[in-house]
Structure formats: C-alpha cells, structure tokens
Amino acid sequence: MKFFVKMTRYRKAEICLLGCLIIMFLCLGVVWLAIGSLLVGGLCLLAWSSIKPVAFIKKHSFVYVLVFLCLIFLFSIFLRIFVLEVFCIPSSSMEETLLCGDKILVSKLNYGPIIPSSPDQIPLLNIYFLLKNHNMNIHSKHLNNKRFAGFSLIKRGDVVVFNPPFDQNADFIKRCVGLPGDLLQIKNSIVLDNGVQGKRYSTVKNAYAVKALNPWQFYDWIDSLQVHCDPELMIGKHGEIHAMLSDRDLWALKKMIPGIHVENHSLQRGAAVHTFPWNKRFLWTIDNYGPIRIPKKGMEIILSDSTVAIYQDIMKKFEQVKIRKMKGCFLINNVASGTYTFHQNYFFMMGDNRHNSNDSRFWGFVPEENIIGKAVLILFANNEDGWNWKRFFKRIE
C-alpha cells in the first residue's frame, strides 16, 4: 500500500521528469505530443499530487471541479485535433469496404495532425464563433495549415479522409490509388501505377454484364447476398444483366451458378467534359482514364496547352499562382516562363464502388494540405437495416 501511495504521488522529481519530457518533444518537433503530455500530466497532478498549489485547489471543491472540467475539455479538444476523430459514412461510394451508416475511427497520428490556423477551426470552441456570427461556417478551412510530423506516409491502398479540392468544408473518404509523382492510368477498370497493376482488393466493385441460362437463379442469388443492382440499368440491349460486383461476389456467383458467363462492362459515361480535366483534348472515361502524372513537390513540368489544361486548376487554387497565355507564351504571375515546379504533393483518390463514386476521376488531385487522416476502424454499423453486429470494431483494409 505504501509503495502504491508513493508511486501515485507527484513530487518534484516527477514534475521535473514531465517538464523534461515536454521539452524533449518540443526539441524533436513533435509539438502535438508535448501538448498532450502537458494536459495528461496536468490531470494526473490534479488527481494525485500533494504539492501546495494542488492541495490549495483541492481544499476548495468548486475551484477543484472547475479546473478539472476545464482540463477535461481541453483534453477532448486535443484528442479531436491531434489524435482521433469519429466520422459517419454518408454514401455507398466505398462499398463493400465501408457501408452507408458505418461509424468509423480516423487516426490523425498516421500522417500527422494539422494545427488549426484560426480559432474557428478548433472543435467545440468554434460553437462560440458560430453563435457570434451566424453566417460563419464552423467547418471553414484555411490554406497553408501547418502539419506536424506523423508516424507514416500515405501509401497506395490506404483509406483516407480528406477535403475534396472543390469544397473545403466537405469531408470525403476514398482509397488512395495514386501517390505524388506516379504515372496513373486506368485500363478496362484496372488501375495501373507506373505501368504496374497494384494490389487488387476483393471488396472493390466494378460493373459486369452477366449472361445466365436461368436469369431467375441469378436474381435469387443477388437477393440472398444483398448485392445492389439498379433496376433501370439492370437489363442490357442483348438481354444481359448488368450488376455491380466485387471479386468476392464474382467468386461466389461462379461457384453457385455453374456455366454462368460474366464480362467486364465498361460504362462509357463521363467522357471528355465530365471527367477531369474537363477538356476535349482528353477523351477519357471512368474505366479508361489517363495516363496522367500526379504532381509531386519539386516536380517540374513543361508548360504547354496540354499540361496547363491538366494542372491549371490546382496551380491557381493550391499553388496560389496566376497562369495565363499571351501571344503564344505562358505567364506565371505575369512573368514569362516555359516551366513550372510544384510546391506540394498531391494524391489520386477513388471509391471502391468504382461506378458509383464521386472521386478524382471527376474532380482531380487532392493536395496534401487537405488530408485529414487515415480510416483505421469501424466502431459500429447502424443503417436502414438496423445494427450490423459483424461489423463492430472491424479493421479497415
């Protein structure tokens, strides 16, 4: 018992150790960890320490409760800004990986948390600014936010939460399929990075044309496995059945209905003016797209009508440069130039439900400053069909 009391009391040595720990984190540049250590240390001191300032606070119950609640409030803000946040999946763009209604845990430690650049970006505190100014959007974002060091870099295949380039107030979740500097191309729905096909996820869904001797057997199958099919697009011109299927669905289908014929059905919607970069020079579709080079910090491009058509939007919005053409020459901030070097990294994002996803194929690259965090865990699933107990605390891959 005496040993326990000694271990739980914070004396001068423990305070000095906490101070050294905070200074060490600051020197290493891990500011968010220093702030967290300060808050946790403060809570522990308030709970167990017997030093005079804490003892004085404990004697006055009202002051003690007020200080303790303030520290809890600050620690909650710290967790949401620097560590973890909970998001709800609003759409079917990530089926089968994530379903509409899933509540997921997003880690901000993996890629590094972003420090808010203004008070209205701080969770919970932004309610005050909302009440003060009813026209203010509490989710407003500011460019050039500083990102602290994280534990890892974004990798191909990571499921990422981010702000799309066309709306800084929205939160999207997609899978990263292209990294800075990659030459990305989609051929017949297959994603190629630098000419090589990457890992194929069994949950990724594509459009297929199915021919079965007994169509009703196929309908019974999709009904039993709850495979979604749009009734308006289900029957093709030649009597084939169109369906969105994952690799896992294909395996089950061929196993259950011997002799069934399945072909990849590349939808040709979204050509030219509907897919990024919205230019008739590039007659791309969502299934046959690119090749397109993803911008990387320090990457230099030669300015031409083609490259400007692809990159001018992010150059203006995220690189904060003005580009225009005059008398056959390109001007960068009113200075003639034949090349341009990017100042930050960009990524290419796609939903796993490939033919029902609003992603980079339609609106382009995601800048690094727009990345929020990595989706790591499904906390629980509650949708229109009720609670899905099998998805509780399921790891996201």
Side-chain angles (χ1 to χ4, degrees), residues 179-314:
L179 299 177
D182 281 355
L183 182 66
L184 182 132
Q185 186 174 12
I186 304 172
K187 283 188 176 182
N188 298 324
S189 302
I190 298 174
V191 179
L192 305 175
D193 286 298
N194 304 313
V196 179
Q197 180 181 345
K199 181 180 178 180
R200 191 177 179 96
Y201 294 86
S202 62
T203 53
V204 172
K205 298 171 71 171
N206 281 297
Y208 290 91
V210 180
K211 293 181 180 179
L213 296 176
N214 184 354
W216 295 110
Q217 191 178 10
F218 175 75
Y219 297 144
D220 290 340
W221 175 83
I222 64 172
D223 185 59
S224 64
L225 293 184
Q226 298 181 339
V227 176
H228 174 75
C229 292
D230 190 338
E232 296 181 2
L233 302 174
M234 198 165 181
I235 306 300
K237 294 180 180 179
H238 305 290
E240 74 277 10
I241 303 167
H242 295 171
M244 300 297 299
L245 305 172
S246 66
D247 285 356
R248 189 167 52 196
D249 294 332
L250 284 176
W251 180 83
L253 176 62
K254 292 177 179 179
K255 184 178 180 181
M256 293 179 66
I257 310 176
I260 196 167
H261 183 66
V262 183
E263 290 182 352
N264 188 292
H265 178 63
S266 296
L267 300 180
Q268 294 302 312
R269 62 180 180 174
V273 296
H274 295 113
T275 53
F276 179 81
W278 322 296
N279 192 294
K280 291 184 179 180
R281 291 173 178 270
F282 309 97
L283 300 177
W284 298 341
T285 70
I286 58 176
D287 291 311
N288 290 281
Y289 186 92
I292 188 170
R293 182 71 67 179
I294 304 171
K296 180 180 181 180
K297 184 177 181 179
M299 185 180 88
E300 185 180 74
I301 59 169
I302 298 173
L303 297 178
S304 66
D305 290 335
S306 295
T307 56
V308 169
I310 294 173
Y311 301 115
Q312 64 179 347
D313 189 60
I314 60 171

Side-chain angles (χ1 to χ4, degrees), residues 155-166:
K155 300 183 290 293
R156 294 188 196 92
D158 283 359
V159 178
V160 181
V161 175
F162 59 92
N163 304 123
F166 60 87

Side-chain angles (χ1 to χ4, degrees), residues 5 15 48 64 112 122 167 169 202 212 238 280-281 285 384:
V5 171
I15 296 173
W48 294 307
Y64 178 77
I122 300 175
D167 187 355
N169 302 319
S202 62
H238 305 290
K280 291 184 179 180
R281 291 173 178 270
T285 70
E384 57 185 12

Side-chain angles (χ1 to χ4, degrees), residues 10 12 15 45-46 49-60 63-64 67:
Y10 277 74
K12 291 182 180 180
I15 296 173
L45 282 170
L46 196 62
S49 179
S50 58
I51 60 176
K52 290 183 179 180
V54 176
F56 174 80
I57 293 174
K58 286 182 177 180
K59 286 182 181 179
H60 301 80
V63 177
Y64 178 77
V67 172

Side-chain angles (χ1 to χ4, degrees), residues 70-362:
C70 287
L71 286 174
I72 290 291
F73 179 73
L74 292 174
F75 187 65
S76 301
I77 293 175
F78 168 80
L79 285 178
R80 287 193 59 183
I81 293 176
F82 299 104
V83 185
L84 297 167
E85 194 162 357
V86 177
F87 286 85
C88 179
I89 302 301
S91 70
S92 60
S93 68
M94 282 297 291
E95 289 182 353
E96 305 275 320
T97 305
L98 298 171
L99 304 180
C100 188
D102 284 354
K103 303 299 188 295
I104 65 168
L105 197 64
V106 176
S107 168
K108 298 184 179 182
L109 300 180
N110 289 69
Y111 310 140
I114 296 177
I115 186 171
S117 61
S118 65
D120 62 282
Q121 294 183 40
I122 300 175
L124 302 180
L125 287 182
N126 52 23
I127 297 174
Y128 166 78
F129 294 94
L130 179 64
L131 294 174
K132 188 176 179 180
N133 182 3
H134 294 287
N135 297 322
M136 189 200 79
N137 189 326
I138 64 172
H139 298 294
S140 62
K141 305 289 181 182
H142 298 262
L143 298 179
N144 299 322
N145 287 359
K146 178 177 174 57
R147 183 183 297 277
F148 290 145
F151 294 145
S152 65
L153 299 175
I154 300 176
K155 300 183 290 293
R156 294 188 196 92
D158 283 359
V159 178
V160 181
V161 175
F162 59 92
N163 304 123
F166 60 87
D167 187 355
Q168 297 294 105
N169 302 319
D171 296 326
F172 274 30
I173 181 166
K174 308 289 179 187
R175 191 180 295 277
C176 177
V177 298
L179 299 177
D182 281 355
L183 182 66
L184 182 132
Q185 186 174 12
I186 304 172
K187 283 188 176 182
N188 298 324
S189 302
I190 298 174
V191 179
L192 305 175
D193 286 298
N194 304 313
V196 179
Q197 180 181 345
K199 181 180 178 180
R200 191 177 179 96
Y201 294 86
S202 62
T203 53
V204 172
K205 298 171 71 171
N206 281 297
Y208 290 91
V210 180
K211 293 181 180 179
L213 296 176
N214 184 354
W216 295 110
Q217 191 178 10
F218 175 75
Y219 297 144
D220 290 340
W221 175 83
I222 64 172
D223 185 59
S224 64
L225 293 184
Q226 298 181 339
V227 176
H228 174 75
C229 292
D230 190 338
E232 296 181 2
L233 302 174
M234 198 165 181
I235 306 300
K237 294 180 180 179
H238 305 290
E240 74 277 10
I241 303 167
H242 295 171
M244 300 297 299
L245 305 172
S246 66
D247 285 356
R248 189 167 52 196
D249 294 332
L250 284 176
W251 180 83
L253 176 62
K254 292 177 179 179
K255 184 178 180 181
M256 293 179 66
I257 310 176
I260 196 167
H261 183 66
V262 183
E263 290 182 352
N264 188 292
H265 178 63
S266 296
L267 300 180
Q268 294 302 312
R269 62 180 180 174
V273 296
H274 295 113
T275 53
F276 179 81
W278 322 296
N279 192 294
K280 291 184 179 180
R281 291 173 178 270
F282 309 97
L283 300 177
W284 298 341
T285 70
I286 58 176
D287 291 311
N288 290 281
Y289 186 92
I292 188 170
R293 182 71 67 179
I294 304 171
K296 180 180 181 180
K297 184 177 181 179
M299 185 180 88
E300 185 180 74
I301 59 169
I302 298 173
L303 297 178
S304 66
D305 290 335
S306 295
T307 56
V308 169
I310 294 173
Y311 301 115
Q312 64 179 347
D313 189 60
I314 60 171
M315 289 170 66
K316 292 177 181 177
K317 191 169 185 178
F318 299 107
E319 301 282 313
Q320 298 180 0
V321 298
K322 295 180 180 179
I323 181 170
R324 61 190 179 96
K325 188 176 182 179
M326 188 175 66
K327 296 181 181 180
C329 296
F330 289 99
L331 303 179
I332 302 290
N333 292 335
N334 297 320
V335 177
S337 178
T339 62
Y340 178 76
T341 303
F342 289 98
H343 299 147
Q344 67 169 309
N345 293 319
Y346 295 83
F347 301 86
F348 202 92
M349 307 290 185
M350 288 174 61
D352 282 0
N353 195 354
R354 293 292 162 83
H355 289 87
N356 189 23
S357 174
N358 181 18
D359 53 39
S360 288
R361 293 170 295 178
F362 296 101

